[in-house]
Amino acid sequence: MTTDTSAAAPAAAPGAPAVDLFSQEFAADPFPVHDRLRRSAPVHHDPVTRLWLVSRDEDIRQVLREPSTYRNDNALGSVLPLRLPALRILDRAGFKTLPPALFNNSGDTHPVLRGPVLKLFGAQRVRAALPMIERVTHEELDLMAAGLDATGRHDFARGPARTIPVRVMLEMLGVPEAARADIATIADWTDAFITLFWGRTDKDEQRRLAQLVGEFYIWLCDLAARPDAPDDSLLGALARVRMPDGSPVPPEVAVAVCSNLMVAGHVTTSQMISTAAYRALEHTGRWRALGREPGLAEAWTEETLRREPSLTAWRRVTSRPVTLGGVDLPEGAELLLLFTAAGTDPEAFEEPERICPMREGGRAHLGFGLGRHRCPGAELARAEGRVVLAAASERFPDLRLATEERPPFLELVSFRAPTRLEVEHAPRPAEPRRSPPQ
């Protein structure tokens, strides 16, 4: 899976900032670079990835509203070419490329496949799933409490923020108990998937990641081949779908749909929860308020999605010559839509750098995309965010960051969140000593 483009590499715009999309410096604090891009080169060619970086909210919305001009066929290809050893490992697992399904499909099969997914993650299904989400959350918070009691510290990003979305997604997809892999293993698989295809890794690391991705693909193939898929599960729904030519959904397409949803349902939700928790924990009062003030956890989740979405950027490719942001692009130009830059665009949001949970029009951001390819699991992610943040704050009101050092962030092109979030109980103030009775 490699990225190719027919557009010739142009010279950098005068005054355009140098951008290293894979650096820790950029991952930890992308906002200054985004600001410079919006002001000096809102449609900027990156020579490393050969992608056109689109940073203004207005331009990104234009792209998302015109899916026939800006297609998503390139969305799931590897950002940088994979080396031969990794490709061989993937080939042995039977994984060559994902066919068009949800996130890389601009053809006539897209609405056919998207239909059952929208029903699966519709508002009514999400409301019905709330008791399950709450149960899973409290079970994982019990494990966190045990960890805090045993060692005094706990990694929130590797703990509840990571495991809850996996468990919820397995329930929502209707995966039979007998077919479920270990939760930590599934999380490792999906993390490996995004790192292999959206990261900058050396040959040895690519081999390790490819092995995990191959295991993930084999598990998905076995899952799709099971004859006992419940009627109300995703695979049960896909079995009833007919493609535009009247044929059933091919097995490899069903696998691709499941892959899209497992990766997105775990990775982006986990990262959203980790980032939201981190920003709240930076100030003790903020964290404590999430469990006490009705509606605040929901509003805090929404602001996180605007200012620091876990899906930081997504790709498109032009189907014809077009002008975007004053820049002429040829057919086949590959774009990277910088959603984080759009969410902090001062032309779109007042005081965009400020976290303002009660912001007017708080949902008018691009954290879930826009238009035909808007994230079908948006309401489920929102529900998980508000349930987990409120429950964790209520259960651990005196939680604090265990270190003043900034946590490490993912160094991937399209995903961003703290990879570790060490927390501990804040020491309670000593009670004043009482004078003995006279």
Tab-separated table of all heavy atoms in Angstrom, residues 215-248:
chain	number	residue	atom	x	y	z
A	215	GLU	N	-1.797	-10.423	11.559
A	215	GLU	CA	-2.623	-11.166	12.523
A	215	GLU	C	-4.027	-10.564	12.601
A	215	GLU	O	-5.024	-11.307	12.688
A	215	GLU	CB	-1.963	-11.127	13.896
A	215	GLU	CG	-0.646	-11.877	13.979
A	215	GLU	CD	0.060	-11.634	15.299
A	215	GLU	OE1	-0.535	-10.963	16.178
A	215	GLU	OE2	1.211	-12.099	15.465
A	216	PHE	N	-4.109	-9.244	12.607
A	216	PHE	CA	-5.395	-8.546	12.643
A	216	PHE	C	-6.234	-8.914	11.424
A	216	PHE	O	-7.426	-9.237	11.540
A	216	PHE	CB	-5.130	-7.048	12.691
A	216	PHE	CG	-6.348	-6.164	12.733
A	216	PHE	CD1	-7.430	-6.470	13.550
A	216	PHE	CD2	-6.399	-5.004	11.974
A	216	PHE	CE1	-8.552	-5.637	13.598
A	216	PHE	CE2	-7.508	-4.166	12.011
A	216	PHE	CZ	-8.584	-4.493	12.821
A	217	TYR	N	-5.615	-8.917	10.260
A	217	TYR	CA	-6.342	-9.222	9.026
A	217	TYR	C	-6.843	-10.671	9.032
A	217	TYR	O	-7.992	-10.935	8.643
A	217	TYR	CB	-5.426	-8.981	7.824
A	217	TYR	CG	-6.124	-9.169	6.502
A	217	TYR	CD1	-7.019	-8.211	6.025
A	217	TYR	CD2	-5.888	-10.295	5.732
A	217	TYR	CE1	-7.670	-8.379	4.812
A	217	TYR	CE2	-6.535	-10.472	4.504
A	217	TYR	CZ	-7.413	-9.511	4.061
A	217	TYR	OH	-8.063	-9.687	2.850
A	218	ILE	N	-6.021	-11.597	9.486
A	218	ILE	CA	-6.447	-12.998	9.549
A	218	ILE	C	-7.625	-13.154	10.506
A	218	ILE	O	-8.593	-13.883	10.221
A	218	ILE	CB	-5.260	-13.892	9.984
A	218	ILE	CG1	-4.209	-13.941	8.866
A	218	ILE	CG2	-5.737	-15.297	10.334
A	218	ILE	CD1	-2.906	-14.591	9.282
A	219	TRP	N	-7.580	-12.464	11.647
A	219	TRP	CA	-8.691	-12.512	12.599
A	219	TRP	C	-9.974	-11.974	11.967
A	219	TRP	O	-11.060	-12.562	12.122
A	219	TRP	CB	-8.338	-11.722	13.851
A	219	TRP	CG	-9.439	-11.634	14.865
A	219	TRP	CD1	-9.906	-12.644	15.663
A	219	TRP	CD2	-10.225	-10.477	15.182
A	219	TRP	NE1	-10.929	-12.179	16.472
A	219	TRP	CE2	-11.148	-10.851	16.190
A	219	TRP	CE3	-10.227	-9.164	14.724
A	219	TRP	CZ2	-12.069	-9.964	16.737
A	219	TRP	CZ3	-11.133	-8.269	15.262
A	219	TRP	CH2	-12.046	-8.675	16.259
A	220	LEU	N	-9.862	-10.862	11.240
A	220	LEU	CA	-11.034	-10.292	10.579
A	220	LEU	C	-11.588	-11.237	9.517
A	220	LEU	O	-12.813	-11.375	9.383
A	220	LEU	CB	-10.680	-8.951	9.944
A	220	LEU	CG	-10.418	-7.781	10.902
A	220	LEU	CD1	-9.863	-6.589	10.130
A	220	LEU	CD2	-11.698	-7.373	11.637
A	221	CYS	N	-10.709	-11.892	8.759
A	221	CYS	CA	-11.166	-12.844	7.744
A	221	CYS	C	-11.903	-14.015	8.401
A	221	CYS	O	-12.954	-14.462	7.905
A	221	CYS	CB	-9.985	-13.350	6.923
A	221	CYS	SG	-9.263	-12.130	5.795
A	222	ASP	N	-11.353	-14.520	9.500
A	222	ASP	CA	-12.014	-15.616	10.223
A	222	ASP	C	-13.367	-15.155	10.765
A	222	ASP	O	-14.344	-15.916	10.748
A	222	ASP	CB	-11.127	-16.107	11.365
A	222	ASP	CG	-9.878	-16.820	10.876
A	222	ASP	OD1	-9.836	-17.203	9.688
A	222	ASP	OD2	-8.929	-16.979	11.678
A	223	LEU	N	-13.406	-13.931	11.255
A	223	LEU	CA	-14.656	-13.383	11.783
A	223	LEU	C	-15.711	-13.281	10.688
A	223	LEU	O	-16.875	-13.678	10.875
A	223	LEU	CB	-14.388	-12.000	12.388
A	223	LEU	CG	-15.560	-11.271	13.036
A	223	LEU	CD1	-16.079	-12.046	14.237
A	223	LEU	CD2	-15.138	-9.860	13.450
A	224	ALA	N	-15.314	-12.771	9.522
A	224	ALA	CA	-16.268	-12.602	8.419
A	224	ALA	C	-16.751	-13.940	7.874
A	224	ALA	O	-17.841	-14.017	7.293
A	224	ALA	CB	-15.625	-11.784	7.301
A	225	ALA	N	-15.964	-15.009	8.057
A	225	ALA	CA	-16.327	-16.319	7.521
A	225	ALA	C	-17.213	-17.124	8.461
A	225	ALA	O	-17.717	-18.186	8.078
A	225	ALA	CB	-15.052	-17.111	7.217
A	226	ARG	N	-17.427	-16.639	9.674
A	226	ARG	CA	-18.239	-17.391	10.638
A	226	ARG	C	-19.696	-17.450	10.181
A	226	ARG	O	-20.257	-16.454	9.727
A	226	ARG	CB	-18.167	-16.751	12.023
A	226	ARG	CG	-16.808	-16.857	12.694
A	226	ARG	CD	-16.848	-16.201	14.066
A	226	ARG	NE	-17.712	-16.930	14.977
A	226	ARG	CZ	-17.316	-17.886	15.804
A	226	ARG	NH1	-16.037	-18.226	15.827
A	226	ARG	NH2	-18.154	-18.486	16.609
A	227	PRO	N	-20.319	-18.607	10.341
A	227	PRO	CA	-21.723	-18.734	9.909
A	227	PRO	C	-22.724	-18.300	10.968
A	227	PRO	O	-23.932	-18.310	10.711
A	227	PRO	CB	-21.838	-20.242	9.642
A	227	PRO	CG	-20.888	-20.865	10.626
A	227	PRO	CD	-19.739	-19.899	10.769
A	228	ASP	N	-22.252	-17.929	12.165
A	228	ASP	CA	-23.168	-17.663	13.277
A	228	ASP	C	-23.334	-16.183	13.579
A	228	ASP	O	-23.665	-15.805	14.704
A	228	ASP	CB	-22.683	-18.377	14.538
A	228	ASP	CG	-21.265	-17.953	14.961
A	228	ASP	OD1	-20.579	-17.300	14.147
A	228	ASP	OD2	-20.858	-18.283	16.093
A	229	ALA	N	-23.139	-15.326	12.586
A	229	ALA	CA	-23.298	-13.887	12.816
A	229	ALA	C	-24.757	-13.575	13.142
A	229	ALA	O	-25.659	-13.931	12.376
A	229	ALA	CB	-22.865	-13.103	11.585
A	230	PRO	N	-25.033	-12.932	14.283
A	230	PRO	CA	-26.417	-12.582	14.620
A	230	PRO	C	-27.031	-11.668	13.564
A	230	PRO	O	-26.341	-10.879	12.915
A	230	PRO	CB	-26.272	-11.849	15.967
A	230	PRO	CG	-24.948	-12.284	16.511
A	230	PRO	CD	-24.076	-12.514	15.322
A	231	ASP	N	-28.341	-11.762	13.387
A	231	ASP	CA	-29.024	-10.957	12.377
A	231	ASP	C	-28.853	-9.465	12.617
A	231	ASP	O	-28.814	-8.672	11.676
A	231	ASP	CB	-30.523	-11.298	12.336
A	231	ASP	CG	-30.778	-12.683	11.746
A	231	ASP	OD1	-29.881	-13.195	11.048
A	231	ASP	OD2	-31.866	-13.245	11.988
A	232	ASP	N	-28.778	-9.073	13.909
A	232	ASP	CA	-28.672	-7.647	14.209
A	232	ASP	C	-27.226	-7.173	14.311
A	232	ASP	O	-26.969	-6.044	14.727
A	232	ASP	CB	-29.416	-7.310	15.503
A	232	ASP	CG	-28.855	-8.057	16.711
A	232	ASP	OD1	-28.031	-8.985	16.520
A	232	ASP	OD2	-29.245	-7.724	17.846
A	233	SER	N	-26.257	-8.007	13.939
A	233	SER	CA	-24.855	-7.615	13.947
A	233	SER	C	-24.487	-6.983	12.611
A	233	SER	O	-25.252	-7.049	11.635
A	233	SER	CB	-23.957	-8.831	14.195
A	233	SER	OG	-23.979	-9.706	13.066
A	234	LEU	N	-23.294	-6.373	12.550
A	234	LEU	CA	-22.851	-5.777	11.296
A	234	LEU	C	-22.729	-6.830	10.203
A	234	LEU	O	-23.213	-6.635	9.078
A	234	LEU	CB	-21.506	-5.079	11.496
A	234	LEU	CG	-20.863	-4.539	10.213
A	234	LEU	CD1	-21.705	-3.432	9.601
A	234	LEU	CD2	-19.445	-4.062	10.469
A	235	LEU	N	-22.097	-7.967	10.515
A	235	LEU	CA	-21.930	-8.999	9.497
A	235	LEU	C	-23.270	-9.590	9.074
A	235	LEU	O	-23.467	-9.927	7.902
A	235	LEU	CB	-20.996	-10.093	10.014
A	235	LEU	CG	-19.529	-9.673	10.150
A	235	LEU	CD1	-18.719	-10.745	10.862
A	235	LEU	CD2	-18.937	-9.378	8.784
A	236	GLY	N	-24.198	-9.677	10.019
A	236	GLY	CA	-25.538	-10.128	9.664
A	236	GLY	C	-26.222	-9.167	8.711
A	236	GLY	O	-26.886	-9.571	7.752
A	237	ALA	N	-26.058	-7.870	8.969
A	237	ALA	CA	-26.639	-6.857	8.088
A	237	ALA	C	-25.973	-6.874	6.717
A	237	ALA	O	-26.645	-6.768	5.682
A	237	ALA	CB	-26.513	-5.482	8.727
A	238	LEU	N	-24.648	-7.008	6.686
A	238	LEU	CA	-23.940	-7.032	5.406
A	238	LEU	C	-24.324	-8.250	4.572
A	238	LEU	O	-24.310	-8.197	3.336
A	238	LEU	CB	-22.430	-7.013	5.638
A	238	LEU	CG	-21.841	-5.701	6.154
A	238	LEU	CD1	-20.353	-5.865	6.441
A	238	LEU	CD2	-22.067	-4.576	5.154
A	239	ALA	N	-24.668	-9.361	5.241
A	239	ALA	CA	-25.071	-10.561	4.501
A	239	ALA	C	-26.370	-10.338	3.729
A	239	ALA	O	-26.628	-11.023	2.724
A	239	ALA	CB	-25.229	-11.735	5.471
A	240	ARG	N	-27.177	-9.387	4.179
A	240	ARG	CA	-28.451	-9.105	3.494
A	240	ARG	C	-28.321	-8.012	2.436
A	240	ARG	O	-29.257	-7.782	1.667
A	240	ARG	CB	-29.505	-8.686	4.529
A	240	ARG	CG	-29.817	-9.773	5.541
A	240	ARG	CD	-31.008	-9.392	6.408
A	240	ARG	NE	-30.743	-8.226	7.243
A	240	ARG	CZ	-30.199	-8.278	8.459
A	240	ARG	NH1	-29.835	-9.450	8.966
A	240	ARG	NH2	-30.000	-7.186	9.169
A	241	VAL	N	-27.198	-7.321	2.420
A	241	VAL	CA	-26.996	-6.221	1.472
A	241	VAL	C	-26.688	-6.777	0.087
A	241	VAL	O	-26.031	-7.815	-0.057
A	241	VAL	CB	-25.830	-5.317	1.949
A	241	VAL	CG1	-25.388	-4.363	0.853
A	241	VAL	CG2	-26.259	-4.528	3.180
A	242	ARG	N	-27.173	-6.094	-0.919
A	242	ARG	CA	-26.841	-6.431	-2.289
A	242	ARG	C	-26.131	-5.257	-2.928
A	242	ARG	O	-26.533	-4.099	-2.760
A	242	ARG	CB	-28.091	-6.804	-3.089
A	242	ARG	CG	-28.710	-8.131	-2.670
A	242	ARG	CD	-27.724	-9.277	-2.913
A	242	ARG	NE	-28.192	-10.568	-2.422
A	242	ARG	CZ	-27.865	-11.090	-1.247
A	242	ARG	NH1	-27.076	-10.398	-0.412
A	242	ARG	NH2	-28.300	-12.277	-0.885
A	243	MET	N	-25.058	-5.571	-3.651
A	243	MET	CA	-24.289	-4.553	-4.340
A	243	MET	C	-25.094	-4.012	-5.519
A	243	MET	O	-26.143	-4.572	-5.876
A	243	MET	CB	-22.958	-5.152	-4.809
A	243	MET	CG	-22.123	-5.753	-3.690
A	243	MET	SD	-21.556	-4.541	-2.477
A	243	MET	CE	-19.976	-4.093	-3.207
A	244	PRO	N	-24.666	-2.905	-6.127
A	244	PRO	CA	-25.438	-2.315	-7.226
A	244	PRO	C	-25.760	-3.284	-8.354
A	244	PRO	O	-26.786	-3.140	-9.031
A	244	PRO	CB	-24.535	-1.175	-7.705
A	244	PRO	CG	-23.783	-0.769	-6.480
A	244	PRO	CD	-23.524	-2.036	-5.747
A	245	ASP	N	-24.925	-4.306	-8.577
A	245	ASP	CA	-25.202	-5.272	-9.646
A	245	ASP	C	-26.049	-6.445	-9.174
A	245	ASP	O	-26.271	-7.402	-9.920
A	245	ASP	CB	-23.893	-5.784	-10.247
A	245	ASP	CG	-23.027	-6.542	-9.234
A	245	ASP	OD1	-23.442	-6.661	-8.058
A	245	ASP	OD2	-21.945	-7.017	-9.625
A	246	GLY	N	-26.536	-6.389	-7.909
A	246	GLY	CA	-27.382	-7.442	-7.375
A	246	GLY	C	-26.642	-8.569	-6.683
A	246	GLY	O	-27.271	-9.469	-6.124
A	247	SER	N	-25.326	-8.549	-6.693
A	247	SER	CA	-24.542	-9.605	-6.063
A	247	SER	C	-24.391	-9.343	-4.563
A	247	SER	O	-24.518	-8.203	-4.107
A	247	SER	CB	-23.158	-9.688	-6.716
A	247	SER	OG	-22.434	-8.483	-6.482
A	248	PRO	N	-24.101	-10.397	-3.781
A	248	PRO	CA	-23.865	-10.180	-2.352
A	248	PRO	C	-22.548	-9.454	-2.124
A	248	PRO	O	-21.700	-9.355	-3.016
A	248	PRO	CB	-23.817	-11.600	-1.775
A	248	PRO	CG	-23.470	-12.473	-2.925
A	248	PRO	CD	-24.052	-11.825	-4.147
